Amino acid sequence: MPDHDGHTLAALLPGVGGLLTGGGGPHLDLPRAERYVVVLVDGMGRRLLDDHESLAPHLSRMERSDVLTCAVPSTTATSLTSLGTGLAPGSHGILGYTFRSPEGVVMNALSWANGGVPEQLQPRPTAFQALAAAGIEVTSVGPARFERSGLTRAGLRGPRFVPVRDEEDIDLRTDLVAQAARTDGPSLTYVYERSLDHVGHGQGCRSAAWRRQLSWVDELVEALAESLEPGTALVVTADHGMVDVPHERFILAEDEAGLLADVDDLAGEPRLRQVYTARPEDVARRWRATLSDRAVVLTAGEALDAGLLGDWDPAMRPRLGDVLALMRQDHAVMTRRMPQELGLVGMHGSLTADEMLIPLRHEIVGSR
């Protein structure tokens, strides 16, 4: 379960802000510094990192801070918006990889297809904006294509954006980050790295390719540490973990008798499927009977009462599925409506520890 009282990813930037300004907030056992570089590695779950420490010697040497979880669903769009806004999903409203937009159509929060105006869909000020308003110099160093993406505008707006045009060039990335972090006053530089998640989805998070990519990520973090000015706090975290789902664990919704009866829309991700229906009790009963011990099936009301989404804004209710299927172990509900998902190996979205636990590592550069 996410600990929305202070130990989720949403607490990270407010915590750094409190350290920079001398204010209160969830400091998450991080060191005090005048300059922070926060690196988010997409898909680098805490358990995966712990299991492969020999492949990531620099990350393994870094100090460990408080235990963190990501938000629910444990997926990139939701987690990055929680990081960027400092809010739980129930407040910021980016409720999954796909979910119903306020216009009543299923939108994709990564491509922003059917998403409308980002600043209207997520109008609350971001944590980045709050830091800038407090006099902190805030910069984001990320893939060039994300500079004006819908997700950036919705949940990560506020920093000066420094585009990375060759993500495989470690020297280029470290130079850009070092320049951004070389400030006269207090600053926060945010760095997003996505390659590990991409390899995990395509080849699995237990594959040789994933292990090689983790070593590359560790090399990037080490290069950043070497390039930053002494006294800078380097913080590394993630947005979610991952599990490999073998094809024999795929549950194809169209092939299960009655599973799509009374269902208007399917959204979410294979590991946390959101079901939209005018008959939630009936649909939940059928999904429970069909999925049995392979999933926890909740109505939206049950999920909100359990606190899965944190502080809840009732205006978000049309966005959330009326029934949620949270998959256990390594099962997934697939659908021919989303054929691109049928080629996935690594997946995330549900509440297993492999998906929910994320690392929080830090060091003061030059202190060793």
Side-chain angles (χ1 to χ4, degrees), residues 45-55 206 214 354:
R46 180 183 170 185
R47 284 193 165 186
L48 282 170
L49 182 55
D50 287 347
D51 287 349
H52 296 89
E53 286 201 334
S54 63
L55 301 176
R206 300 289 175 178
L214 177 63
D354 286 340

Side-chain angles (χ1 to χ4, degrees), residues 46-99:
R46 180 183 170 185
R47 284 193 165 186
L48 282 170
L49 182 55
D50 287 347
D51 287 349
H52 296 89
E53 286 201 334
S54 63
L55 301 176
H58 191 90
L59 284 163
S60 299
R61 290 194 301 268
M62 295 177 78
E63 298 291 331
R64 290 161 168 77
S65 292
D66 293 352
V67 173
L68 279 190
T69 69
C70 59
V72 178
S74 52
T75 197
T76 297
T78 302
S79 285
L80 292 188
T81 308
S82 288
L83 171 80
T85 61
L87 299 171
S91 295
H92 64 60
I94 306 299
L95 301 182
Y97 166 59
T98 60
F99 58 94

Side-chain angles (χ1 to χ4, degrees), residues 109-349:
L110 293 184
S111 70
W112 213 255
N114 297 326
V117 179
E119 295 85 356
Q120 294 177 3
L121 190 136
Q122 198 304 101
R124 299 196 182 199
T126 70
F128 289 117
Q129 290 172 315
L131 288 170
I136 309 300
E137 187 166 339
V138 185
T139 308
S140 175
V141 181
R145 61 179 293 192
F146 296 156
E147 181 170 6
R148 293 292 297 164
S149 73
L151 186 61
T152 296
R153 290 168 57 190
L156 300 163
R157 61 182 179 265
R160 176 177 67 91
F161 194 92
V162 176
V164 177
R165 305 196 184 280
D166 183 354
E167 296 174 60
E168 297 180 2
D169 189 332
I170 287 180
D171 292 337
L172 170 64
R173 186 97 61 103
T174 54
D175 286 347
L176 293 174
V177 173
Q179 291 172 27
R182 196 173 293 123
T183 58
D184 293 330
S187 66
L188 167 68
T189 304
Y190 167 62
V191 183
Y192 174 65
E193 166 50 41
R194 61 177 176 162
S195 63
L196 194 66
D197 182 72
H198 179 77
V199 172
H201 281 308
Q203 301 189 54
C205 61
R206 300 289 175 178
S207 66
W210 189 95
R211 292 193 294 272
R212 287 193 298 271
Q213 198 62 33
L214 177 63
S215 294
W216 184 91
V217 167
D218 190 70
E219 183 181 347
L220 171 64
V221 173
E222 183 175 30
L224 287 171
E226 292 172 350
S227 70
L228 296 172
E229 291 188 347
T232 303
L234 177 61
V235 180
V236 182
T237 188
D239 55 346
H240 56 74
M242 187 174 284
V243 296
D244 286 347
V245 179
H247 274 235
E248 60 268 23
R249 300 285 198 167
F250 284 13
I251 303 160
L252 197 59
E254 288 81 359
D255 292 351
E256 297 289 338
L259 209 58
L260 295 182
D262 299 318
V263 171
D264 300 321
D265 277 321
L266 285 180
E269 22 266 305
R271 294 279 299 159
L272 198 160
R273 199 52 87 187
Q274 299 195 43
V275 186
Y276 297 86
T277 174
R279 304 183 65 178
E281 297 296 339
D282 292 340
V283 169
R285 184 173 60 254
R286 281 194 289 270
W287 279 61
R288 288 184 186 119
T290 300
L291 298 180
S292 185
D293 61 354
R294 295 175 291 183
V296 174
V297 178
L298 303 174
T299 63
E302 291 169 336
L304 296 178
D305 288 345
L308 286 184
L309 300 174
D311 290 339
W312 179 246
D313 180 349
M316 304 300 172
R317 181 61 192 88
R319 305 184 190 188
L320 183 65
D322 302 291
V323 175
L324 307 178
L326 296 88
M327 305 310 296
R328 295 183 184 272
Q329 299 173 339
D330 56 355
H331 299 282
V333 173
M334 316 302 290
T335 172
R336 293 191 182 94
R337 301 181 188 187
M338 303 176 188
Q340 73 280 7
E341 295 179 354
L342 296 174
L344 297 176
V345 179
M347 303 184 198
H348 48 81

